[in-house]
Amino acid sequence: MLDESLLDSPEGLAEADRHALLRGAAEAGARVRTAARHAAEAGVNDLKPDGRPRAVLIAGPGAAATQTADLLGTLAGAGSPVTRLAPTGVAPAAGALRWELPGWAGSVDLLLIATPDGTEPGLSLLSEQAYRRGCTVVVVAPAGTPLAEAVGGSHGLFVPMATAPYDQDEPLAASAPGVLWALLTPLLALLDRTGLLTAPPDALEKIADRLDGIAERCGPAIATYSNPAKTLAAELADALPVVWTEGVSAGPAGRRFAAALAELSGTPAVVAELPEALAAHSALLAGRLAASADPDDFFRDRVEEAPALHARVVLLRDRPLGGLTAAPAARELALTHDTPISELEPEAGGELETLAELIAVTDFAAVYLALASRA
């Protein structure tokens, strides 16, 4: 059950936020600036590659690496050579994972390793394997970790992950707001130098500014009625989020939102892109999860019995109004099945800025839902 009164209690939210998730969301802009500075100090902005890499391979543990690869691949475009390397098994250490380079990987390829941990022996072995193959290796990880030492010297380029003092208290959640921007920002700067995408220093500063603006609009001191993140969290209480995305950049934002809901608040969600989502989820909205699917719910004991789980559509869009859109058809489908719908659309701006806004608002919403549900 969601404690809606907690949403409008900054002191209560602070007390419930034992993992500093709200602080991480609020400081996302500062994290981008720190990560950009670390990348510049490591020499990323001074790189002069001979040409674009044939392939960009991204490795790392869990949701953090998956989301980073998803975002970079989307931003690089349809012809993107970005590929995530999934773990292939167990490394020769207790509980450790193993990563392997594809057989074709060589000197014209780029390996990116992104991890908020840095103690994974499998990633250190991967960096050594890439060095022997002649691959260029770039690592973003916390300083002073075994992986940082393994990639030092001639093995590759190391960029210290932008961390905060409270990050050291407990293991970081892969979907924590600060983790994504700490890992993603240096890699955006790097791939800008290779020509795979456009993310110069001024674009990174605009991302940070947009994140600061969202923190002001969605912070814990802002009341629910004027706070889009708190409003969305309240709307998703006791609901199955059906996340529909429209527009290229909204896709990875929606997939990250679903992952954050699962990891931070334990809320399952399904996600699909429009217009394919209309066919993919039509039966779901017409089934027992529809808002009108439980006629006996009127007689439910409101005190003793939990409410039935019903679907709620969350529409994330990054397309300008007036263009070709499937949003009217999406609204009609939801209305036909008595399914409520929440909509988020960023303010005008560049692709990186609008993507950052969608991620930031949904990050805040996932955190609020997690905190108010645990109360």
Side-chain angles (χ1 to χ4, degrees):
M1 295 290 290
L2 183 78
D3 182 359
E4 294 194 34
S5 64
L6 184 64
L7 290 178
D8 285 327
S9 170
E11 297 79 9
L13 287 169
E15 184 178 351
D17 189 14
R18 291 182 287 273
H19 301 290
L21 294 174
L22 268 180
R23 187 172 179 180
E27 295 178 355
R31 190 82 64 129
V32 168
R33 294 186 182 93
T34 302
R37 186 178 71 250
H38 286 181
E41 292 172 351
V44 169
N45 296 348
D46 299 324
L47 293 175
K48 297 179 180 179
D50 294 332
R52 290 163 55 117
R54 178 182 61 179
V56 178
L57 307 172
I58 301 181
T66 301
Q67 294 163 11
T68 299
D70 190 11
L71 287 161
L72 293 176
T74 298
L75 293 169
S80 162
V82 176
T83 303
R84 175 179 176 257
L85 288 183
T88 58
V90 180
L97 298 174
R98 181 177 75 248
W99 285 264
E100 293 285 345
L101 288 175
W104 46 262
S107 60
V108 294
D109 302 311
L110 172 62
L111 172 64
L112 308 178
I113 299 177
T115 173
D117 188 343
T119 63
E120 305 92 343
L123 291 177
S124 297
L125 293 173
L126 178 66
S127 69
E128 294 173 4
Q129 182 187 16
Y131 174 69
R132 293 194 300 270
R133 295 268 202 96
C135 293
T136 301
V137 181
V138 178
V139 171
V140 182
T145 57
L147 180 58
E149 297 174 4
V151 80
S154 60
H155 281 61
L157 175 65
F158 174 73
V159 181
M161 177 182 167
T163 58
Y166 52 83
D167 288 343
Q168 314 304 323
D169 297 339
E170 292 188 34
L172 292 170
S175 294
V179 172
L180 175 70
W181 296 111
L183 296 179
L184 180 65
T185 303
L187 300 182
L188 285 172
L190 175 71
L191 295 189
D192 174 74
R193 300 302 301 166
T194 67
L196 284 176
L197 51 78
T198 302
D202 64 321
L204 299 181
E205 184 61 32
K206 289 180 180 178
I207 291 176
D209 290 342
R210 182 67 66 101
L211 293 172
D212 288 344
I214 297 303
E216 293 178 0
R217 289 172 51 200
C218 298
I222 306 302
T224 298
Y225 68 86
S226 59
N227 186 321
K230 287 184 179 180
T231 299
L232 180 57
E235 291 171 344
L236 292 180
D238 305 313
L240 172 70
V242 180
V243 183
W244 291 347
T245 66
E246 183 172 59
V248 176
S249 297
R255 290 186 285 274
R256 170 174 168 77
F257 185 35
L261 286 171
E263 182 175 3
L264 301 182
S265 69
T267 302
V270 293
V271 60
E273 297 185 16
L274 291 174
E276 292 85 353
L278 302 179
H281 292 160
S282 178
L284 185 152
L285 298 186
R288 59 186 177 84
L289 293 172
S292 59
D294 188 7
D296 295 329
D297 189 61
F298 179 80
F299 300 102
R300 174 177 58 84
D301 186 324
R302 264 54 181 176
V303 176
E304 299 296 334
E305 297 180 38
L309 185 68
H310 296 307
R312 185 181 189 98
V313 170
V314 180
L315 178 57
L316 305 182
R317 303 176 63 209
D318 68 352
R319 289 185 177 178
L321 295 175
L324 293 174
T325 174
R331 298 185 190 105
E332 182 179 358
L333 179 63
L335 181 62
T336 300
H337 296 298
D338 296 323
T339 300
I341 184 168
S342 304
E343 297 191 39
L344 290 179
E345 184 171 337
E347 296 179 2
E351 184 179 26
L352 290 173
E353 295 170 77
T354 57
L355 175 59
E357 180 171 338
L358 285 175
I359 290 174
V361 174
T362 52
D363 274 356
F364 266 106
V367 171
Y368 283 129
L369 186 60
L371 298 181
S373 297
R374 294 172 187 163

